[in-house]
Structures are given as C-alpha cells and as structure tokens.
Amino acid sequence: MSLGMSFGTSSASSSAPAAPSRARPSGNAAVRIDNVMKRFGSVQAVKGISLEIPERSLCGFLGPNGAGKSTTIRMIMSIISPDSGSVEVLGSSALAMKDRIGYLPEERGLYRKMKVGEFVGYMAKLKGVHPTGLARRIDDWLERLALPGVSKRRCEELSKGQQQKIQLLASIIHAPDLLILDEPFSGLDPINGRLVTDLIRSEQARGATIIFSTHQMHTAEALCDKVVLINKGDKVLDATLAELRAKHDDRGLVCEPRTDARTFADAALARGIATAARANDGGSVDLDLAPGTDADAAMRAALEIAPMRSMALRRMNLDDVFVELVGKSDGEHKKGARIDA
Amino acid sequence: MPERPQQSYFGKIFLIAWREFRHTALTKGFIFGAVAMPILMFGVIGLMPALLSKEVPALVGTIVVVDPSGTIVPRAKAILEKPPTAMEAMEEFARNPPADTGSQINAASEMAGIGSQKIEVTWRGEKAPGAVDGIKSELKDGRILAGASIGAELLDPSKDAKAFELYIPSSLSPKHVKQITRALRQAVADERVARSGVDKELLSRLNNPPDPTTTRVSPKGTEAQENTELRFIVPGAFMFLLWICVFTSANYLLTTTIEEKSNKVMEVLLAAASPMQLLAGKILGYSMVSAVMLVMYGGLGLAGLSAVAMMDLVPPMHLVYLVIFFIMAYFMVSSMMAAVGSAVSDLREAQSLVGPVMMLLIVPLMLWMPIIQNPNGPLATIAGFVPPAIPFVMILRLTAATEPIPLWQTALSIVWGFACAFGMLWLAARIFRVGVLMQGKPPTPRELIKWAFVK
C-alpha cells in the first residue's frame, strides 16, 4: 500500500457540520485548479496541472491509461488532496459542495443486496433530495434509462451494463450543478452508449457543468465543448473544440482524382501544393498542406492537375490530434530523460 | 438554477446509520440467526424431554419372583405401579448425574415421562428355590417379562447379603430393566427395614445429612448470603451477554466495511459523505443492532428469572452497570473493528489483523473464573483498569462481588474506561479516513499506527 499520501477529506469533514454556501462560481468557472501536484510513493501522478472549466460547459478529459485523469478527478472531488496547488469547485471546495456534485467513479460499485430503487433513493437522500415523490422520480428515470420495473430488483441481479446505468442514475438523481463522470462509456454497448450520450446532453441542457473522462475520441468529438488532454501527469492540450477545428481543419485535402491516384500525388508534390501526399487504396489522395497555406488556392491548384470525382477539406480528427500530441509529449519526455541522464 | 435543499451533517449520519441498521437487523438472516436461532435452541432444549418422554415404551407382561418370604412381590408391585415423584427423580438425578449428554437427556426424559407410562405387570411369587429353572425356560419361550430370585438371607437384617438374581430376556430395554431393578431393590430394602423394627420415616430423617445456609462475613462486617452455583452463573451470564452482543455487531461492522471496499461502493459513498460521517453513521447504526440484541437476550434472561421467581439475583443497579459497560465495550470493540475493516480489501486479509484484536477480547473470557472467585483480588482489580478488558472485567467484578467493590474503583474504571473508549474511537477514525481509500496489500499493525498520525 502506498504511504506518504495525505488525505484532505478529514480536515473539513471532521470539523463542525459544513454549512455550504450557495456561492456562484467565481468568474464563471465551475472548476478551477491551479498547479496541482500529486505523488504516490515514487510515482509523480500529476505534475502541476492548471485548468479552468467554465460553467455549463461539457469538458472531456482525454489521455492514455495511467495518464493521471482519474487522480485529477479525485482531487477535484476532494477524495484525495493534492500535495500542492489549489482546487476550487463551484466557488468553494468539493467537500462543502458535495450535495451539488454528481460523481461516477472509475471503479463501479453498488450494494449488491440492496434493491435498485432503495439504493438510488439512499444516494439521493444523502445528497439532500426530499423523500416526497422520490420513488416516482426514480421510476421515471429508470424508464428513461430503458430499465423499467427494475426498482424492486436487487442490484446483483442486474447485468454489468445495467448496473452501470444505475450508478450513473445515482450520480444525477439529485440534479447536480457539476457532474463528474469517470469513463462513463466503458463497458456499454452502442445502444446504451447513445443513451448515456443523450443523457449527458440533456444534463448540460438543464444547466449542469459536466466533466467526463474517456478513451473514445469520437464520443469526445461529438459531445465536448472543450477537451483537456493529459499525458504522464502533464496537461498537453486544453482547448475548445472550435479552437481545435480552426487550427486543424484546413490542414489537409482529401482528393479523388479521375486519373491515376499515384500520378496525381506525385504531381501535387512536384508543384508544391502539399508537403506530403498519400495515395490510398480506394483511389483517393490525402494532401497535407503547409502551415499558412490558403486552402482555397490549394484546391484550385489541385483541380488544374487533374479532373476530380470529389475534393474536400479534411476535417479535424481528434484521434490524430491525440496520437500526435501524445507522441510529441512522449518524445519530449524521452529527450528530457536523456538530458537528465 | 433552482435552490435545492441540502442534507445536513447529522442528517447524513442518521441516514447512514439507519441504512446499516435496516440492512443488518431487519434482514431474514439476522432475524433467523440472531433472534430465531437462540429462541429455537432454548425451545428445543425445553421441549426435548417432553418429546422424548412420549417414546417411553409401555411395560407389559409377567414378572416371576422366587420369594420364599412372600413379602417382596406385594411390595415390588406397589413400588412399580407408583412411579417416583418428579422431586424424587430430580434428587436421584442430582445425586447421580449421568456423565455424558446422551444419558443426561435420557434421564431428563425419564423424569418428564414419569406418570405417562403404561404399566400392566402381573406378579407371580414362587416359594420353591428350584423354580429358577422354570423361570429360565419361560424366559426362553418369551412367556414372561423377567424373573428374579430373592434369597432368604437377603431379607435378614443381621446378614450382610448384597445381591439377588435377576433374569431378563436379551430383548428387554435398559429402561425396563432399570424400572424392575428399582422396584425389587426398594422392596428388599423396605422389607429389611420392616424386619429390623425401625421406623422407616425415622431412618430416612436420621440418614439425611443437612445442607448449610452459608453467610459470608467480610472483614468490614458486611454479610451476604451464599449461593455457590448462582455466584458463578449470574456474573458469567452478564459478561457473556455483553461479549456476544458487542462482538456480534462489531463483527457486522467489520464485514460491511470490507464489503463496501471490495464492492467499490466506498468511493460513491465518499462522494456523498465524509469518512467521518460514514464512520459515525456506521458506529451509530451497529450500536442499535447491538442494543436490540442486548434488550432481546437480556430480556429473555430476565423473563426466565422472573418466571422462576429469582429476580432478586439481579438487583436493578446491576442492570444500570450493564448498560454503562455495554456502551463502553461497544465503542472499544467497534472502534477496533472499524479500523481493521477500513484497512483491508477483503475478508481473507482481515484475518491477520482481526487475530490480535480477538486475542485481546478473549482475555476476559479466560479470566472469568479467577475473577469470580476473588473479585477484589489483585488480578481482578488490575484487569479492571486495562482496556479493552475494562467493561468485561468490571461487569464480572460488580455482579460477582460477595462484598462491595470500592466505589472509587467503580467510578475510576467508568471514567478511565470511557476515556480509553474515546481514545480508541479517535484512533480508529484517523485510520478509517486513510484506510477506506487504500487498495492493495493489507497494512501491518505498525503501518496502521502510522496512518493514525498522518497529517
């Protein structure tokens, strides 16, 4: 067991009953973390991350396994406290704001012997939901989650995917202002994945700020306003999707010439339209444009080489951004390691 | 966003406590295990003799006695047909208790079966000593139940003859053999007494050594009636009651905490309540479970005592002490269990840490006898101040004392005991707050202490 950890849950919680204020988040940031660091034994899990998550935004935490996403989330939740740096949640601390936060931890857990309705009700009451009408509310939600009539069943009788949806329900039943979901899509089939996607969208529409971590780039791309990419405890990207698109969307063309693809690719390179050209098996050609190139001019120049079946500006692909940034940051880590040595 | 009411600090604690109580005490498992089982067990023990007594087989047939005097047959007939009274049977049982449980149950069932047995025996007396051969052949053919030969010497008070002949078929049950033997023995004894001219009643009175009524007089001059058996049983009952109620619920606390960790439900809970609220809720919840058991078992015991009009064995002050030391014991034991439960990831890992805790808790059980025998002795006095034995030892001392425990010792043990209990609770809370978030290999006891002092 790793020691040398300090836990922040005690100081505020062991003192007098917390009387959380309903202070609005300062400067419209639902979460603001400043230079937080966390070390577990010899592993520096988080190396000085700072970020702000605006109110009512939908923010994706991306990053490879073991990057420090869950540690960062647990520090936001005040389940563990950072070694240094500060965390502000809804203008206060997560400890004081517990009842206004919904949290789905990475490791799922339910009381196996408890009935579904009872479990969700218990969590709701712990978060301050009044018992009047609660059962009805739970039933409505279960229906919405395509789990009608499971209220009286024991948690252990449900499938893994169903249990996950119940846990998600337990984290949103109290209509939180901030919803933190650690890997909400893992282990869900496409139908349930879509159901959860819709649910996240509706929670945002209700006015909640949502942070979720995921490995699924297409989900993040489809859902997020903002993405934060964490790799090896460092933040390597923090941008809105709009910013990313502006930066990456016009960086390439996808052409489908009516002539031989390879000949077209060579010609495009020779005329200096692209810095790299790849002929694909299906007869299309990917052209990478040099930074600062006018995309419209490049399209006109491409049309002069050969007639086209189709031609389009290549859309940004978060997968590529992810691979590129993680690759770059890994390279820097290796370089740094060599220098240190 | 609309204003939403929030759950208060103590509201969360009560919610957690109620959930723990509900899902422990109001379950079929608990009701069956902790409530129905003991009641069922007492019930079965109570009913056993009655159930067995129905199986006492009827005694039907002819008994032939070679009885030259002609006096034994009518005497034996009367004795057999008038079974011993329950009191006589109990006295017999107390004088000669059977060694093994089987025989005890048998004897008890015989006592319970007394009077309900069907006895239809024809007695036939034979004067000629040579009739024994006829008896044997009749036995062989199964025509008679048993045969006996009572020699004339046996009835002569001046002779020291000790045995008579009894003939029985191989199929006769031991119980029937015993009944016939008893009737014949008693008949011979009565005849001998009659022939010696001594009054039977007088003989019985003369032969009965008296029992003492013991009064203990202490050096301070206080006097107390002595009741040796109950002096051992009542304090033991108090301590075991305390021990079982506290240990059972603390064990529930241990297993549910481990379950929450291994089920990974802990992190969900910690997003809704702080570790301190969780611990407080759990301890409160299981204190209710423990109290239910105490009231139930204690109530059963008191009901039993009042049924036999022996309530004076439990003065009201003892019940007050029971409540005080129950609270102390509960906090001590549940603190230790909560600390252990939070530190490990599954039940198997818990064994290594529960071991030392159990060792500590078994000490008062081992000291039961020495403390009862000398409640004011140095061992009892010292053990009464050593946590976590304090509540168990003190309840033994206070209920066993044949002379009062010095008031200062009682008062000091209560104050010191509660100080220790809260110290243990504080330590447990420190360990709990770190432990609930830990996964991986279980900590050593040294690491546990280290956690308690982590910032």
Side-chain angles (χ1 to χ4, degrees), chain A residues 22-196:
Chain A
R22 291 281 301 181
R24 303 305 303 167
S26 52
N28 288 335
V31 175
R32 177 176 287 142
I33 66 182
D34 187 26
N35 201 26
V36 292
M37 295 194 196
K38 186 74 206 177
R39 172 183 285 278
F40 296 109
S42 60
V43 181
Q44 184 75 46
V46 175
K47 305 169 182 168
I49 290 181
S50 298
L51 60 90
E52 267 186 29
I53 294 160
E55 242 190 354
R56 299 180 176 231
S57 65
L58 217 167
C59 174
F61 269 32
L62 313 178
N65 296 323
K69 302 186 297 284
S70 290
T71 306
T72 307
I73 284 178
R74 285 165 146 210
M75 285 193 285
I76 294 174
M77 282 304 298
S78 281
I79 284 175
I80 53 176
S81 67
D83 298 336
S84 66
S86 68
V87 179
E88 188 188 288
V89 177
L90 301 173
S92 175
S93 80
L95 289 177
M97 292 293 147
K98 269 196 167 113
D99 292 358
R100 291 175 56 195
I101 305 172
Y103 175 50
L104 177 76
E106 185 186 17
E107 297 203 87
R108 315 280 190 250
L110 297 162
Y111 284 109
R112 293 165 47 79
K113 301 279 175 204
M114 228 169 157
K115 287 184 176 132
V116 170
E118 219 178 341
F119 171 73
V120 178
Y122 176 57
M123 294 312 297
K125 281 185 262 180
L126 272 180
K127 298 268 189 178
V129 178
H130 199 275
T132 314
L134 181 57
R136 176 84 228 146
R137 185 161 161 184
I138 292 169
D139 286 342
D140 290 347
W141 266 107
L142 287 173
E143 200 133 330
R144 204 170 144 189
L145 286 170
L147 293 170
V150 302
S151 188
K152 298 265 181 253
R153 282 168 66 185
R154 284 174 192 264
C155 291
E156 64 186 353
E157 293 168 20
L158 304 185
S159 74
K160 218 173 154 190
Q162 289 173 322
Q163 288 186 4
Q164 184 157 335
K165 287 197 283 183
I166 295 302
Q167 229 187 328
L168 184 68
L169 172 55
S171 67
I172 58 173
I173 187 77
H174 60 300
D177 296 342
L178 173 64
L179 185 55
I180 299 178
L181 311 171
D182 206 347
E183 301 283 354
F185 299 101
S186 75
L188 289 182
D189 60 41
I191 294 169
N192 280 315
R194 187 166 296 176
L195 213 134
V196 172

Side-chain angles (χ1 to χ4, degrees), chain A residues 1-3 10 13 17 20 74 98-99 103 107 109 111 118 122 125-127 167 174-175 177 207, chain B residues 1 4-7 9 12 19 22-23 260 263-264 267-271 274 433 437-438 441 451:
Chain A
M1 248 180 222
S2 47
L3 274 171
S10 66
S13 50
R74 285 165 146 210
K98 269 196 167 113
D99 292 358
Y103 175 50
E107 297 203 87
Y111 284 109
E118 219 178 341
Y122 176 57
K125 281 185 262 180
L126 272 180
K127 298 268 189 178
Q167 229 187 328
H174 60 300
D177 296 342
Chain B
M1 243 166 269
R4 222 185 9 257
Q6 302 200 352
Q7 189 56 261
Y9 188 86
K12 289 191 186 194
R19 197 208 80 87
R22 201 181 120 70
H23 285 268
E260 276 161 4
N263 268 356
K264 316 287 182 203
E267 204 165 328
V268 181
L269 289 176
L270 289 178
S274 70
R433 143 203 87 111
L437 292 163
M438 286 290 186
K441 82 171 180 64
W451 288 0

